Amino acid sequence: MSGLDQIFVWIGHRAAGWFPASVQPLVSAVLAIAGVMAVFGTCFALTTLAERKVLGRMQNRFGPNRVGPYGLLQPLADAVKMLTKEDIVPFSADKTLHFLAPLVLTVPVWLAFAVLPFGRNMSAINLDAGILFFFAVGSASELAVFMAGWSSQNKYSLVGAMRAIAQMISYEVPLVLSVVPVLMLAGSLELNDIVAAQGTYTFGGLARWNVFTPWGLAGLILFLIAATAESNRSPFDLPEGESEIIAGFLTEYSGFKYALFFLGEYLGLFAVTGLAVTLFLGGWHAPFQWLEWVPSWFWFAAKFGALIFLFIWVRATLPRLRLDQLLNFSWRFLVPLSLINLLVAAAWYWTGAWKFPVVAPIRWLLCAALIALPYHWLGRALRGAMPPPRKYIYAE
Amino acid sequence: MSASTLPSELAEPASDHQLLEVSLGPQHPSTHGVFRMDVSLDGEMVVKLKPVFGYLHRNHEKIAEKCSYLGSIPYTDRLDYICSLTNNWAYAMTVEKLAGLVAPERAEYIRVILSELTRLINHSALAGFLLQDMGALGTPLMYAFREREKILDLFESLTGARMMCNYMRFGGCRCDLPPGWIEQTRSLVANFPSFLDEFEALLTGNEILQARTEGVGVLTPQLAVNAGVTGPMLRATGVNYDIRKVDAYGVYGRFSFRVPLGERGDVFDRYMIRILEMRESLKILEQALRDIPAGPIIDPKAKLRNLRPKPGEAYGRIEGPKGELGFYLISDGGPNPYRYRIRPPSLINLTILEDMCLGQTIADAVVILGSVDIVLGEVDR
């Protein structure tokens, strides 16, 4: 492997080598933690800027461009502003919970990064049940959001918290279910194994990513929709639905606690995006065999950036759903579809044993039909009886 | 709020659960200004809604009674500050009726052109704001504002001001069109349909927009007529009432245009009627820009300063972008009106807010309010 590919691993080993052998495991763990925090902390700052820039461009305006060249120092200015703002705790608030909520949101989210493989040999820990760990720590955010909403003793906060709980619980189910086919086919809960299972090439050098299979494509879309809802982003940003309930559970937060909530939400988004890359987009593998020479961490970053851009794009495009529509969408559409996707994955597995010429397109189309038809029917059922198209009469 | 934090006398003994009373506004992101809704929520459902207005009251009608007839014109700009020119027109028209003035033909054409441009501004901005209320983070609004800017540039080159135009006078208009203005307007009108098509391609077919608006805030024609609702709100319920057709004031009788009528009176119809009305406005604009005659722009008999109409009263009304905008003036022969009264479409359309919102969710209430199309400057005066 090229030196550039393993450069971060090498740096880590060399740095740990300076310490006595007894503390080397600890030092390398600390280095991994520091690396993840530094990279994704910077990524948070840059994403807030990129989001505002991209949103601005999509909305015929410039976005931040006053602080530093091209507005690049805007995150710093924001941080200074957040830190110097008065930290207001409402008089009637439950002060302990109000203080704890941003921490409870932010701390477990960092843990989720521990199991993600960012490149070849670049995951902080290799857990046998990596995905279980990921979802376990990820679900702590529900608790934090409700703590924030309840402890603020504000009506908007309470409504926002109730919305958040209903939404996050509803979308946790399709989020996890959409991952299960990957586990079934890879036969492992460990993320490195799942990446390795997508590491071979076919058709003259095209990667065998999960997304290139019918169940993988459907799974990725389901996963991304559920992830959007889990991270409270538009069009599922009801918990902080600005036009309805001011800022939802964030209403009574200001200053750095507010920034911490922001950090937690973005990190949660990064974590699920990283998981989507790992599970469906081949992790750190190159899309084509002849591109293998590019460092693996570059591929991870590129796919990661593309998905983040997708999230921003969606945010600039879609209006918000209503709560009942949101819940219906999850329980009557996403959950059944992700269950059906399990069957499709099973069908894909069985048809893998078929041996006759031109099997690949037939197999692909068969499995695609197995998911496309339920998609069509469920969509029709969700939409209800379509009202006849409206006719607007004109009076002369 | 939770049961433990409420005083016991406020708890309803008959019910096993309490209502959440929320005061939306006067400082709230989507009450379109300083408007307040006292809402009682059962979960997310609105069971009671009381509109509270008056936070922007600035005594406009009384001030106008102390002011000369000319002096009130800049004040009328500030009523519905998105559509200052239609306010000007309604007021100028009422004074013309009171004083027996007749605006020259060219002035009438200019008024029609400006008023239809104002309608384009208002309706496109409304569609943007409505989507903003639905949570579409500013993109439709910015697209709408891009077009609005172009029209505001035209207003600026004509009147010197972008929003507070203060342009029309009783008996005509303040100044003639600058050279090239007609051509600029013509090219804007020619390009506007492509914006509308783009806007509609983005929005009208959007599943989320349809899901959020269909069957939401339904207004029956009976209730709408009984409450005195006018404008696109009324026409969305299917009632054919457009003062441009009914009164054919100004030179509207000379243009061929149609009045789109809705079917169900829900938010989607209200949105759609406005889009369709913009397309009809473009037709009027094309005809007016083609037919505009040369000539004076103000009645030579009109005495702008120190106008003293004969004692009497007059009610003038136009089809403003938001509905019937009427001014009622009584003159006692003095230099200022004895009585000055406005019929603001926003306020009257707002009175049925509760009827439309009951049983809907809080998210719907915000969208319904957005679809009513209010400007607080006009509601509170």
Side-chain angles (χ1 to χ4, degrees):
Chain A
M1 282 304 131
S2 65
L4 207 53
D5 185 30
Q6 294 296 303
I7 185 160
F8 296 115
V9 182
W10 182 78
I11 292 173
H13 278 303
R14 286 301 296 266
W18 293 335
F19 292 88
S22 55
V23 292
Q24 273 186 11
L26 182 68
V27 169
S28 55
V30 168
L31 281 176
I33 293 170
V36 165
M37 291 189 87
V39 168
F40 283 92
T42 318
C43 197
F44 162 66
L46 289 179
T47 308
T48 54
L49 177 68
E51 174 142 31
R52 290 169 66 185
K53 280 282 199 191
V54 172
L55 277 181
R57 286 294 167 179
M58 287 180 178
Q59 296 174 354
N60 295 314
R61 50 192 183 83
F62 287 107
N65 63 357
R66 298 287 98 183
V67 192
Y70 306 104
L72 278 174
L73 298 180
Q74 184 69 38
L76 277 182
D78 286 344
V80 170
K81 187 191 91 171
M82 287 293 188
L83 278 168
T84 49
K85 271 200 159 185
E86 184 186 358
D87 178 27
I88 300 167
V89 181
F91 178 72
S92 59
D94 184 333
K95 303 208 169 37
T96 321
L97 284 183
H98 191 265
F99 175 76
L100 276 180
L103 301 179
V104 173
L105 181 72
T106 318
V107 172
V109 158
W110 282 115
L111 293 178
F113 290 94
V115 291
L116 289 178
F118 304 111
R120 190 175 279 118
N121 306 326
M122 276 171 68
S123 58
I125 40 173
N126 289 338
L127 272 187
D128 285 344
I131 289 197
L132 276 183
F133 174 81
F134 184 95
F135 285 121
V137 294
S139 58
S141 60
E142 271 113 284
L143 181 68
V145 164
F146 197 68
M147 276 166 76
W150 182 257
S151 66
S152 297
Q153 292 283 29
N154 177 305
K155 294 170 188 178
Y156 296 119
S157 302
L158 191 62
V159 172
M162 291 193 299
R163 284 180 174 192
I165 291 300
Q167 172 175 335
M168 287 175 153
I169 289 175
S170 303
Y171 280 82
E172 195 86 44
V173 180
L175 187 76
V176 175
L177 278 179
S178 63
V179 167
V180 175
V182 181
L183 311 182
M184 283 164 57
L185 273 282
S188 170
L189 284 169
E190 191 185 337
L191 289 166
N192 282 310
D193 290 352
I194 292 168
V195 174
Q198 303 177 66
T200 54
Y201 295 90
T202 173
F203 294 126
L206 180 69
R208 251 187 226 275
W209 297 352
N210 285 332
V211 72
F212 297 137
T213 61
W215 59 267
L217 184 61
L220 176 66
I221 295 169
L222 289 168
F223 185 86
L224 287 181
I225 293 174
T228 318
E230 274 293 300
S231 44
N232 293 338
R233 285 183 65 87
S234 175
F236 305 107
D237 55 347
L238 282 92
E240 42 202 277
E242 190 204 339
S243 54
E244 297 143 24
I245 50 172
I246 321 287
F249 58 90
L250 293 171
T251 307
E252 293 291 359
Y253 281 93
S254 64
F256 204 64
K257 284 183 196 158
Y258 183 78
L260 274 183
F261 269 108
F262 242 71
L263 177 70
E265 295 213 331
Y266 271 97
L267 287 178
L269 178 73
F270 294 162
V272 285
T273 310
L275 192 65
V277 170
T278 306
L279 294 179
F280 297 102
L281 295 177
W284 41 262
H285 282 297
F288 300 103
Q289 195 156 20
W290 53 274
L291 284 173
E292 276 278 274
W293 57 272
V294 180
S296 56
W297 41 265
F298 170 80
W299 288 117
F300 184 89
K303 295 167 192 174
F304 180 83
L307 283 186
I308 293 287
F309 178 78
L310 183 74
F311 281 119
I312 299 175
W313 189 0
V314 167
R315 182 171 176 206
T317 311
L318 291 178
R320 186 185 302 131
L321 286 163
R322 206 167 59 207
L323 189 64
D324 55 325
Q325 293 161 349
L326 180 94
L327 299 184
N328 274 340
F329 185 61
S330 173
W331 291 108
R332 288 172 54 190
F333 188 76
L334 291 183
V335 172
L337 208 57
S338 47
L339 285 172
I340 288 165
N341 203 24
L342 292 182
L343 298 179
V344 177
W348 182 262
Y349 179 73
W350 287 324
T351 53
W354 286 358
K355 293 274 185 290
F356 55 83
V358 292
V359 67
I362 295 176
R363 182 180 171 218
W364 213 98
L365 284 177
L366 180 73
C367 289
L370 280 180
I371 189 76
L373 289 176
Y375 165 80
H376 181 68
W377 290 325
L378 283 169
R380 292 287 287 278
L382 180 73
R383 190 70 215 273
M386 283 282 281
R390 303 190 181 208
K391 288 190 293 290
Y392 291 96
I393 46 172
Y394 288 91
E396 281 301 326
Chain B
M1 210 38 64
S2 68
S4 59
T5 57
L6 268 182
S8 57
E9 64 265 25
L10 286 182
E12 290 177 19
S15 168
D16 58 340
H17 63 285
Q18 291 181 352
L19 299 176
L20 189 70
E21 289 184 11
V22 186
S23 171
L24 290 176
Q27 285 143 7
H28 184 277
S30 39
T31 48
H32 296 255
V34 281
F35 175 61
R36 190 171 121 213
M37 296 190 281
D38 277 343
V39 185
S40 296
L41 294 178
D42 182 0
E44 289 252 334
M45 199 176 78
V46 176
V47 293
K48 211 178 100 196
L49 186 147
K50 194 173 134 218
V52 184
F53 21 72
Y55 291 95
L56 203 60
H57 181 64
R58 49 203 193 282
N59 219 359
H60 172 69
E61 289 169 352
K62 196 67 192 168
I63 290 174
E65 285 166 17
K66 303 289 171 201
C67 228
S68 70
Y69 286 92
L70 179 66
S72 291
I73 290 181
Y75 270 132
T76 61
D77 286 337
R78 275 90 178 156
L79 282 173
D80 174 355
Y81 40 77
I82 300 201
C83 322
S84 63
L85 283 159
T86 47
N87 302 341
N88 282 178
W89 192 3
Y91 176 69
M93 183 183 185
T94 314
V95 180
E96 279 161 16
K97 272 192 183 174
L98 192 65
L101 300 168
V102 179
E105 204 164 88
R106 183 172 173 85
E108 291 286 11
Y109 270 87
I110 294 175
R111 287 176 178 186
V112 167
I113 291 168
L114 292 177
S115 141
E116 295 306 320
L117 286 175
T118 305
R119 202 179 309 279
L120 293 182
I121 287 184
N122 182 72
H123 286 359
S124 54
L126 174 99
F129 280 125
L130 183 62
L131 267 290
Q132 179 93 342
D133 289 344
M134 268 178 228
L137 212 107
T139 312
L141 184 65
M142 287 298 162
Y143 275 48
F145 267 38
R146 180 187 59 192
E147 299 309 306
R148 176 173 177 259
E149 283 299 308
K150 293 177 189 162
I151 300 179
L152 290 185
D153 285 345
L154 287 177
F155 286 178
E156 189 180 11
S157 71
L158 173 59
T159 70
R162 297 167 71 78
M163 289 179 74
M164 303 295 129
C165 292
N166 179 20
Y167 177 67
M168 290 178 198
R169 295 285 180 265
F170 27 90
C173 299
R174 177 155 59 88
C175 52
D176 205 350
L177 303 177
W181 196 87
I182 296 271
E183 286 69 36
Q184 284 169 10
T185 314
R186 216 174 259 144
S187 81
L188 180 130
V189 169
N191 291 327
F192 207 84
S194 67
F195 156 70
L196 279 182
D197 293 341
E198 180 192 30
F199 206 60
E200 277 211 82
L202 258 175
L203 300 177
T204 307
N206 185 308
E207 291 262 340
I208 299 180
L209 180 130
Q210 289 179 1
R212 285 296 305 274
T213 53
E214 271 178 6
V216 170
V218 174
L219 179 61
T220 60
Q222 291 79 20
L223 179 63
V225 170
N226 288 344
V229 171
T230 48
M233 277 267 285
L234 177 67
R235 291 192 286 278
T237 66
V239 178
N240 178 15
Y241 183 74
D242 187 328
I243 299 170
R244 289 177 296 176
K245 290 282 185 192
V246 175
D247 284 3
Y249 58 92
V251 286
Y252 270 117
R254 302 183 192 176
F255 305 121
S256 84
F257 65 99
R258 302 174 301 170
V259 181
L261 299 177
E263 207 176 352
R264 279 176 235 163
D266 56 6
V267 174
F268 187 79
D269 271 354
R270 271 171 238 150
Y271 157 79
M272 209 48 212
I273 288 295
R274 283 172 175 123
I275 299 280
L276 297 174
E277 273 191 14
M278 280 196 264
R279 294 194 188 273
E280 295 301 314
S281 286
L282 291 172
K283 285 189 199 166
I284 301 177
L285 277 169
E286 278 169 12
Q287 297 169 47
L289 289 166
R290 186 191 62 210
D291 298 342
I292 182 166
I297 49 141
I298 193 153
D299 186 350
K301 291 204 300 290
K303 220 170 89 181
L304 292 181
R305 287 167 200 283
N306 203 14
L307 178 80
R308 290 169 186 266
K310 286 193 289 291
E313 58 177 31
Y315 177 71
R317 57 177 189 172
I318 65 164
E319 178 71 30
K322 296 181 166 61
E324 176 181 336
L325 173 64
F327 280 74
Y328 177 62
L329 296 174
I330 300 179
S331 165
D332 57 357
N336 44 318
Y338 173 76
R339 182 80 178 95
Y340 175 105
R341 165 85 190 148
I342 304 165
R343 182 212 186 273
S346 292
L347 172 68
I348 309 229
N349 292 354
L350 197 55
T351 50
I352 45 157
L353 188 64
E354 182 175 21
D355 300 277
M356 290 193 286
C357 289
L358 288 188
Q360 314 265 359
T361 65
I362 178 80
D364 287 335
V366 167
V367 173
I368 293 168
L369 176 68
S371 75
V372 174
D373 191 7
I374 57 167
V375 164
L376 265 293
E378 187 179 71
V379 173
D380 293 341
R381 302 189 301 293

